[in-house]
Amino acid sequence: MKKQSNKNGRYYTGSTDDMENRLKCHNSGWVAATKNYRPFKLLAFLPCANLSEARKSEYRLKQYKRKDILEKVVADLEFPWLHKV
């Protein structure tokens, strides 16, 4: 799941097995880490086989520190390591 703060434009990357509920939690202020950056809008959702795979993909995606790579993920709806050249 890739979200963006409407307040500061920063991306938030997370994993969940209930995307709608997770977005609701973030936008309601129930998550302390993102409370001050709400509201969020969902930009991309990349499905995974299971929650374990989603968490591994989230960790791997967070290793990419460059905003241009994250913007490409949002545009292509594909993980960078699956991108075909």
Side-chain angles (χ1 to χ4, degrees), residues 52-68:
S52 176
E53 182 185 321
R55 292 210 169 123
K56 288 175 187 174
S57 296
E58 173 192 356
Y59 177 80
R60 192 170 175 187
L61 188 57
K62 286 181 175 180
Q63 303 307 303
Y64 293 91
K65 303 291 185 192
R66 293 177 23 203
K67 191 173 183 177
D68 63 321

Side-chain angles (χ1 to χ4, degrees), residues 20-66:
E20 291 176 11
N21 184 55
R22 192 66 177 154
L23 185 59
K24 179 181 155 189
C25 288
H26 281 283
N27 282 330
S28 298
W30 296 342
V31 180
T34 59
K35 184 177 180 177
N36 295 322
Y37 304 107
R38 57 194 167 122
F40 287 91
K41 60 183 173 184
L42 183 66
L43 296 179
F45 178 76
L46 288 82
C48 296
N50 53 52
L51 189 55
S52 176
E53 182 185 321
R55 292 210 169 123
K56 288 175 187 174
S57 296
E58 173 192 356
Y59 177 80
R60 192 170 175 187
L61 188 57
K62 286 181 175 180
Q63 303 307 303
Y64 293 91
K65 303 291 185 192
R66 293 177 23 203

Side-chain angles (χ1 to χ4, degrees), residues 70-83:
L70 297 178
E71 289 171 346
K72 185 156 180 54
V73 170
V74 170
D76 296 347
L77 295 177
E78 186 175 60
F79 291 115
W81 53 90
L82 297 177
H83 184 71

